[in-house]
Amino acid sequence: MKRLFAPIALIIAATVTTGCQSLSAPPPVELRGTGDLGLIIERATGSVLVVDHSEHEILGRVEGLGDLSHASVVYSRDARYGYVFGRDGGLTKVDLLTRTVTDRVIQSGNSIGGAISQDGRYVAVSNYEPGGVNIFDSETLDTVAEIPAFYTNAQGEKDQSKTVGLVDAPGNQFVFSLFEAGEIWTVDMYSNPPGINRYQAGKEPYDALITPDGRFYIAGLFGEDGLSMMDLWEPEQGVQTILPDYGKGEQRLPVYKMPHLEGWAIADGYAFVPAVGRHEVLVADMEDWSMVQRIPVQGQPVFVMASPDNRQIWVSFAHPKNDVVQVIDSRTREIIRTLEPGKSVLHMEFTPRGEEVWVSSRDSDRVTVYNTRTLEELATLPAQKPSGIFFTNRAHQLGL
């Protein structure tokens, strides 16, 4: 692993002058909590914005985070530090109060996301190249474990698979899927060394989620119809297929962007699922995982997210119809509003109690804030090609 930054122990109060340019160190840290803070990814510039969602305010920008074209963030238990997972294999620890990088390592050649353990001690990163999961001490970013995703391919040869859908789970576990191998692995971080169990799943899992109670791990499948679901309370039962008949005998549309299953909408006993290659949101009864409805929407859904009170389902879309967001009433399952936040909507994030939702529009260089009761625009914030929005309440939620 290549360490790029040493931990920052103090803030230097001096001012350095070079020629006509004056460079000042950050001001002393303001005494405040972090519960209403968050990070917004600026994907094109390798930077993040530190924001205050109570005041709709940008507090500062942190730069030098590498390739953030598919970046995500998890938080320490005290919600002071954000761990940013970059596409270039970089794992960066950001201090939200000092608005500085405290540590950074390059841990692979191509990574796709990560998770923090239930006890907050470990940060895991899911990698495409080389395929596998690397686990780090959350305080120091020292390596704890390296788990290469080896499997036997169709030719009977040893191969290495991309890993996707990495989440934290109860029992201090990590769970992830292997794309080429079609498997789901669990990692027990209470064991030393970590205990690994492997389960056969469907063809080409591309992303996954864990239900809010931490019981079910569900992987979307690119290589076949249906989804793979694992009951983490009864892992010995193996992986079962849910919604197996969806799409049989139908012509798929070209897939412009794979749906993201993280943030799946689960409301009133039903799961609202983005359909791959179709202009639909699927509704499944969580009692038996049967499909009960298809909701037509204006494009291919990418994010299908429930508000914290589960009353609304917010849907964003893939190119070329990605300049709008549609809001579905979870009771009537009807579209109640189509909003236009800007060009190339990439992500949405609800405030912790759900009174607002923040929406990033990459090609409009802004983030738009909506009131979820009135669906009216409250504020806009400038940002450089914004994508993911991550508030610190994620520190206390499973699977985010």
Side-chain angles (χ1 to χ4, degrees):
M1 305 302 170
K2 182 179 180 184
R3 190 171 297 276
L4 301 185
F5 285 83
I8 296 175
L10 51 83
I11 298 176
I12 303 174
T15 297
V16 180
T17 303
T18 57
C20 62
Q21 183 179 17
S22 180
L23 303 176
S24 299
V29 177
E30 176 189 0
L31 183 62
R32 60 157 301 157
T34 59
D36 59 355
L37 300 186
L39 293 175
I40 297 176
I41 302 295
E42 294 185 309
R43 60 183 289 150
T45 54
S47 54
V48 294
L49 296 176
V50 182
V51 296
D52 177 339
H53 59 69
S54 293
E55 302 296 333
H56 302 154
E57 183 182 2
I58 297 172
L59 302 181
R61 173 177 283 114
V62 184
E63 300 178 322
L65 278 71
D67 182 355
L68 300 184
S69 58
H70 195 287
S72 60
V73 180
V74 298
Y75 290 99
S76 59
R77 286 169 67 95
D78 61 6
R80 175 169 180 173
Y81 299 98
Y83 301 88
V84 183
F85 308 101
R87 195 59 186 262
D88 57 0
L91 168 60
T92 310
K93 186 176 180 179
V94 175
D95 187 329
L96 275 69
L97 294 183
T98 63
R99 299 189 282 281
T100 56
V101 170
T102 64
D103 211 345
R104 175 171 163 81
V105 296
I106 297 295
Q107 55 83 46
S108 77
N110 187 339
S111 59
I112 198 66
I116 189 164
S117 61
Q118 186 180 29
D119 63 4
R121 294 178 57 192
Y122 308 107
V123 176
V125 189
S126 180
N127 295 314
Y128 273 8
E129 183 183 318
V133 168
N134 293 331
I135 301 175
F136 302 87
D137 183 292
S138 63
E139 288 288 332
T140 64
L141 296 194
D142 290 337
T143 301
V144 173
E146 297 181 358
I147 305 172
F150 289 127
Y151 75 105
T152 302
N153 63 26
Q155 291 73 44
E157 301 169 340
K158 186 177 182 180
D159 207 343
Q160 200 160 354
S161 176
K162 300 182 184 70
T163 54
V164 296
L166 172 64
V167 300
D168 61 287
N172 226 35
Q173 296 183 91
F174 291 117
V175 188
F176 58 93
S177 296
L178 282 65
F179 180 77
E180 289 87 357
E183 296 178 0
I184 294 172
W185 291 13
T186 63
V187 182
D188 182 357
M189 294 307 297
Y190 281 140
S191 299
N192 188 17
I196 301 171
N197 289 297
R198 302 165 173 83
Y199 304 89
Q200 192 64 43
K203 187 176 180 181
E204 295 179 343
Y206 65 85
D207 194 15
L209 63 93
I210 191 169
T211 52
D213 61 2
R215 177 170 183 175
F216 296 104
Y217 177 86
I218 301 171
L221 302 176
F222 187 69
E224 63 179 278
D225 293 312
L227 303 98
S228 286
M229 184 183 75
M230 182 174 176
D231 186 342
L232 297 176
W233 290 8
E234 299 179 338
E236 66 279 0
Q237 301 297 322
V239 177
Q240 70 178 93
T241 299
I242 60 175
L243 303 180
D245 297 323
Y246 173 69
K248 295 282 187 184
E250 298 182 11
Q251 180 66 40
R252 292 178 189 259
L253 297 170
V255 179
Y256 296 105
K257 183 175 176 64
M258 294 302 298
H260 284 259
L261 297 188
E262 181 187 316
W264 240 26
I266 293 176
D268 195 27
Y270 295 93
F272 293 75
V273 185
V276 179
R278 294 180 177 84
H279 296 180
E280 297 173 344
V281 171
L282 313 182
V283 184
D285 186 335
M286 292 182 65
E287 187 68 30
D288 59 7
W289 293 101
S290 61
M291 188 173 66
V292 298
Q293 188 175 344
R294 305 181 186 191
I295 303 174
V297 289
Q298 67 93 41
Q300 294 180 17
V302 175
F303 282 101
V304 178
M305 302 176 67
S307 57
D309 63 2
N310 293 332
R311 290 285 297 275
Q312 297 172 347
I313 311 299
W314 287 62
V315 186
S316 66
F317 300 95
H319 175 83
K321 297 183 178 182
N322 60 345
D323 297 346
V324 304
V325 170
Q326 292 191 304
V327 185
I328 299 171
D329 185 305
S330 65
R331 296 169 300 170
T332 65
R333 301 176 195 160
E334 295 178 350
I335 296 171
I336 58 175
R337 189 74 63 88
T338 296
L339 303 170
E340 299 181 2
K343 298 178 180 178
S344 298
V345 172
L346 291 189
H347 198 237
M348 303 172 290
E349 181 82 335
F350 292 96
T351 49
R353 295 193 178 189
E355 76 284 356
E356 294 176 1
V357 62
W358 290 41
V359 183
S360 64
S361 302
R362 180 192 63 199
D363 294 346
S364 292
D365 292 309
R366 70 171 181 250
V367 172
T368 305
V369 182
Y370 290 97
N371 181 300
T372 54
R373 180 178 178 181
T374 66
L375 301 181
E376 298 300 319
E377 181 181 310
L378 295 176
T380 59
L381 290 80
Q384 300 172 8
K385 307 301 177 196
S387 54
I389 305 170
F390 304 93
F391 294 149
T392 55
N393 60 296
R394 287 171 170 256
H396 311 297
Q397 298 178 39
L398 283 168
L400 293 181

